[in-house]
Amino acid sequence: MNTFKKAHSKQMIRQEVLSLLKTTPFYKIKIKDLATRLNISRSTFYSYYESIYDVIQEMEDEFMADMVSLECMNLLDSNHVNTAPITTLRTMEYIYNNKEVFLALTGPNGDASFSIRLEARLKKGFYDMLKKMNCPESRCSLFSEFFSTGQVACAKYTVSTEDFSDPEVRSQLSLTTHIILFYSIRSLL
């Protein structure tokens, strides 16, 4: 099978899984039903993936890798607190541009462990940033937990609203996040 056809088939499978996640929990999606909807054989599905979970895992891994490669997870560069708005905006833009995937993976029918992985990665970024700023250990843990869960929850909410399609709203949200982050950090030190 040529590379283009294989990539197209995989993309079709992924798109259909995303579509099904709008109404069906991932663990209830049957390969037989997916193959029927796509008009492919089950063996075609199995030539690309071992299970529905593998499809979801691939999308989750790509989402996380893209966020990291865009430095969305690297919240601050050393002691430069002023990079936070750029990083926050970059994160929001990436999530907005990939909102269908984000909402499917973090939504009620997605894989709950993905939200946990995403929060854990953000928490590590916040924690490392606070440690670099000589924040006391107990406060690093508390505030990194607060910021990471808040950022994921805020992203889930804002991506699902119409306002988030407006670049000005995303920019204002980024600035607000930066102000909260900046003044919270200042109060810690």
Side-chain angles (χ1 to χ4, degrees):
M1 181 177 295
N2 72 36
T3 307
F4 175 76
K5 187 173 179 180
K6 181 177 179 178
H8 179 70
S9 297
K10 282 185 82 167
Q11 188 59 32
M12 283 179 26
I13 291 169
R14 289 166 56 123
Q15 279 303 122
E16 192 60 33
V17 168
L18 285 175
S19 178
L20 286 167
L21 284 172
K22 292 175 183 173
T23 59
T24 309
F26 83 92
Y27 57 85
K28 289 188 176 182
I29 297 172
K30 306 287 184 231
I31 294 169
K32 177 183 158 196
D33 298 336
L34 181 68
T36 301
R37 287 175 66 118
L38 290 170
N39 198 26
I40 63 172
S41 67
R42 289 185 345 186
S43 61
T44 298
F45 174 88
Y46 286 119
S47 68
Y48 303 115
Y49 299 103
E50 291 182 23
S51 67
I52 295 296
Y53 185 75
D54 285 346
V55 179
I56 303 238
Q57 188 67 49
E58 181 179 88
M59 289 188 286
E60 290 174 358
D61 291 346
E62 283 182 16
F63 191 90
M64 292 288 282
D66 289 347
M67 295 256 308
V68 170
S69 72
L70 293 169
E71 297 181 18
C72 294
M73 300 295 200
N74 301 325
L75 300 169
L76 296 178
D77 177 5
S78 260
N79 296 319
H80 300 101
V81 177
N82 292 329
T83 62
I86 296 165
T87 302
T88 304
L89 185 58
R90 194 179 298 145
T91 301
M92 285 188 228
E93 291 295 329
Y94 178 78
I95 290 171
Y96 176 73
N97 291 330
N98 295 279
K99 68 181 176 182
E100 182 183 14
V101 174
F102 178 77
L103 288 172
L105 296 177
T106 61
N109 296 323
D111 179 11
S113 68
F114 177 67
S115 289
I116 294 168
R117 278 178 51 206
L118 185 58
E119 286 177 14
R121 184 65 176 91
L122 287 166
K123 183 178 178 180
K124 181 184 178 336
F126 281 119
Y127 182 88
D128 291 347
M129 173 196 66
L130 293 169
K131 282 304 277 182
K132 286 179 183 176
M133 299 178 77
N134 299 317
C135 179
E137 180 73 30
S138 62
R139 290 184 179 182
C140 285
S141 297
L142 173 68
F143 275 86
S144 60
E145 183 72 32
F146 172 77
F147 289 130
S148 61
T149 55
Q151 189 167 19
V152 171
C154 185
K156 285 181 188 179
Y157 173 76
T158 54
V159 166
S160 63
T161 67
E162 283 299 313
D163 283 348
F164 200 67
S165 62
D166 182 353
E168 183 65 28
V169 170
R170 291 195 301 273
S171 180
Q172 289 171 350
L173 188 57
S174 174
L175 184 58
T176 302
T177 302
H178 170 66
I179 290 167
I180 292 168
L181 180 62
F182 179 76
Y183 284 107
S184 296
I185 291 169
R186 285 187 51 152
S187 71
L188 293 173
L189 303 177

